[in-house]
Amino acid sequence: MHELSVVLHIAKTLDELAEENRLSRIGSVTLQVGEVSGIMTDYFTECWDYFKKKHPLLSDSRLKLETLPAVTFCEGCRQEYETVRYGRICPYCGSERTYLLTGNECIIKEIEAEDQ
Amino acid sequence: MRVIELHRSVTESNDRDAARLRAELKEKGVLLINLMSAPGAGKTTLLIRIITDLRGKLSIAVLEADIEASVDAERIEALGARSVQVHTDGMCHMDAGMTRTGLEALDLDGIDLAFLENIGNLICPAEYDTGAGLNLMISGVPEGDDKPLKYPLMYKESQALVLSKLDTLPYFDFDVEKFRERVLFLNPGIRIFPVSARTGEGMEALEQWLSEETAKWQEREEHA
Ligand SMILES: Nc1nc2c(ncn2[C@@H]2O[C@H](COP(=O)(O)OP(=O)(O)O)[C@@H](O)[C@H]2O)c(=O)[nH]1
Ligand SMILES: [Mg+2]
Ligand SMILES: [Zn+2]
């Protein structure tokens, strides 16, 4: 149920934002999702559509998903490579001393909203 | 309609709630430790051992969130320690809001040290700050020495790590030195406690650390 949890956190952030900015309705939410964030986008959209019906601020909102590529850095040879393609082991030097630079994030990029 | 640019991580509002809760717990002098692991790594068994060993020294309470076993809270209460089971409705982690609600039900009066037994899962709990003062992770010998490679975030987010079920070492090809090296590569500052809650091996060092950390947390800042 990771996806539904994430939806709940987003809704909470948007509730706070709507209150601070006196927004009445949110038309769209653009979310940037890292390739290895563990979020399944199809299932996430289903969760969103299920949840929004019960949440007036979001009931007509459209979800726009953008994917952020995952990039890993190798400490062995100090090069970067595509995480999804090569995984944890550096394709250049075979080192295991690698870490993720980007691709893990889940960011609310922007929303479209109507004022009260 | 107007566009509002946010560029906010989805965890940001939770981070604020967590910081607020942590400050309140500091004020109250209650050290909350967030206990995270895979299901069955030995969280409840370890807690039972700690509560028994530290009886009379520290007043301990437990917030049970692990969906695996609704009997966990009862096992803790049988020892005479305060415990509450939170109903997590299929969530994969505890967040700061749920932790706060649980702690309110628990009643922290007179408590020195509270544990949150987080939901058994190696991924999601590491992503959400619960408001705890310390994160303690458990990794069991039967899970294998390659877990730090597969689930690095939890090892990075923890201040201490218990390598549990040490008594099972003879039955698994688990390389303790290699494991230690992998963990320290991810998190050079982490404290590692190899322990068996069954035989008691290693428990003293862990309990000593818990006592010291509780005392540190309860120190008042004298300069004002
Ligand atoms: N051999 C051995 N088994 C253990 C130890 N700690 C826990 N276990 C067993 O591991 C299983 C899961 O333990 P439990 O504490 O319920 O795990 P939790 O799901 O993380 O709370 C139980 O069958 C325990 O008896 C230990 O130190 N040694
Ligand atoms: Mg348990
Ligand atoms: Zn390399």
Side-chain angles (χ1 to χ4, degrees), chain A residues 12 16 108-109 111 113 115, chain B residues 2 4 6 8 16-17:
Chain A
K12 184 154 179 281
E16 289 169 6
I108 310 171
K109 184 185 174 196
I111 62 168
D115 294 307
Chain B
R2 62 177 168 122
I4 303 176
L6 282 169
R8 258 195 224 173
R16 268 199 308 275
D17 290 350

Side-chain angles (χ1 to χ4, degrees), chain A residues 6 8-9 19 22 64 75 77-78 83 90 107 110:
Chain A
V6 176
L8 293 174
H9 283 281
E19 184 153 337
R22 313 185 114 269
K64 300 182 195 170
E75 292 221 319
C77 66
R78 314 200 69 77
T83 310
C90 175
I107 297 165
E110 61 186 32

Side-chain angles (χ1 to χ4, degrees), chain A residues 1-2 5 9-10 12-13 16-17 23 25 27 75 88 97 106-113 115, chain B residues 1-10 13-14 16-17 90-93 95 124 127-128 149 185:
Chain A
M1 288 300 265
H2 183 67
S5 304
H9 283 281
I10 295 172
K12 184 154 179 281
T13 300
E16 289 169 6
L17 187 82
L23 306 173
R25 207 168 68 79
E75 292 221 319
R88 200 167 34 73
R97 297 200 156 235
C106 181
I107 297 165
I108 310 171
K109 184 185 174 196
E110 61 186 32
I111 62 168
E112 285 176 280
D115 294 307
Chain B
M1 281 289 171
R2 62 177 168 122
V3 173
I4 303 176
E5 287 190 21
L6 282 169
H7 300 287
R8 258 195 224 173
S9 162
V10 297
S13 90
N14 182 63
R16 268 199 308 275
D17 290 350
M91 296 281 278
C92 51
H93 63 268
D95 63 22
C124 313
E127 293 176 10
Y128 290 90
L149 301 173
F185 169 66

Side-chain angles (χ1 to χ4, degrees), chain A residues 39-82:
Chain A
I39 291 174
M40 292 160 53
T41 50
D42 287 355
Y43 183 51
F44 187 86
T45 308
E46 260 177 56
C47 288
W48 181 268
D49 290 338
Y50 163 79
F51 178 80
K52 73 179 190 184
K53 286 186 210 131
K54 301 189 292 187
H55 205 78
L57 180 72
L58 301 173
S59 57
D60 314 313
S61 66
R62 204 154 51 82
L63 183 66
K64 300 182 195 170
L65 290 174
E66 295 177 4
T67 303
L68 296 177
V71 178
T72 296
F73 178 76
C74 171
E75 292 221 319
C77 66
R78 314 200 69 77
Q79 298 194 70
E80 294 174 11
Y81 64 88
E82 286 171 57

